[in-house]
C-alpha cells in the first residue's frame, strides 16, 4: 500500500469522524460544532486531494515506464543493425 494512499484514507476517515462529531455537538447545542465541522471538512478535502495525487502519480509512473521500454527497444534495434 502506497504511503499516499494510507495518508489519504487516514485523513478521509478522520475528516468524516470530525464531521460526525460536529453533528453530535450541534445536537447538544455546543458552539464547538462549528470548529469540529470546519476542521473535518478541511481534513477530508486534504485526504481526497492526496488520493487524487496518488492516482496521478501512478498514471505518470506507468507512462514513464512505458516510455523507457520503448526507448530501450529502439536502442536494441539500433545496436542490432
Amino acid at each position: 500500500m502506497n504511503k499516499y494512499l494510507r495518508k489519504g484514507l487516514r485523513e478521509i476517515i478522520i475528516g468524516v469522524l470530525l464531521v460526525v462529531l460536529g453533528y453530535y455537538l450541534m445536537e447538544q447545542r455546543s458552539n464547538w460544532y462549528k470548529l469540529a465541522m470546519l476542521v473535518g471538512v478541511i481534513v477530508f478535502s486534504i485526504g481526497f486531494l492526496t488520493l487524487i495525487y496518488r492516482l496521478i502519480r501512478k498514471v505518470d509512473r506507468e507512462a514513464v515506464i512505458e516510455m523507457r521500454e520503448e526507448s530501450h527497444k529502439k536502442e536494441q534495434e539500433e545496436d542490432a543493425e
Side-chain angles (χ1 to χ4, degrees):
M1 194 183 276
N2 186 326
K3 70 178 180 178
Y4 293 108
L5 177 62
R6 281 193 307 265
K7 184 178 179 184
L9 290 175
R10 182 180 63 229
E11 289 173 351
I12 286 175
I13 291 169
I14 291 170
V16 168
L17 290 175
L18 284 171
V19 170
V20 169
L21 175 66
Y23 278 114
Y24 173 76
L25 291 174
M26 186 169 48
E27 289 177 3
Q28 300 299 317
R29 307 241 188 251
S30 173
N31 286 331
W32 288 100
Y33 80 92
K34 296 174 187 176
L35 180 63
M37 285 189 160
L38 176 67
V39 172
V41 168
I42 290 171
V43 171
F44 180 86
S45 302
I46 291 170
F48 183 76
L49 291 175
T50 303
L51 286 180
I52 297 297
Y53 178 69
R54 180 213 181 246
L55 291 174
I56 291 171
R57 279 180 48 106
K58 184 176 182 179
V59 169
D60 187 44
R61 181 179 182 275
E62 290 173 0
V64 168
I65 290 172
E66 193 175 300
M67 287 173 40
R68 287 180 183 166
E69 287 176 357
E70 289 175 8
S71 66
H72 184 67
K73 286 179 184 179
K74 287 180 183 178
E75 287 176 3
Q76 285 181 344
E77 289 174 1
E78 289 175 0
D79 289 340
E81 293 176 356

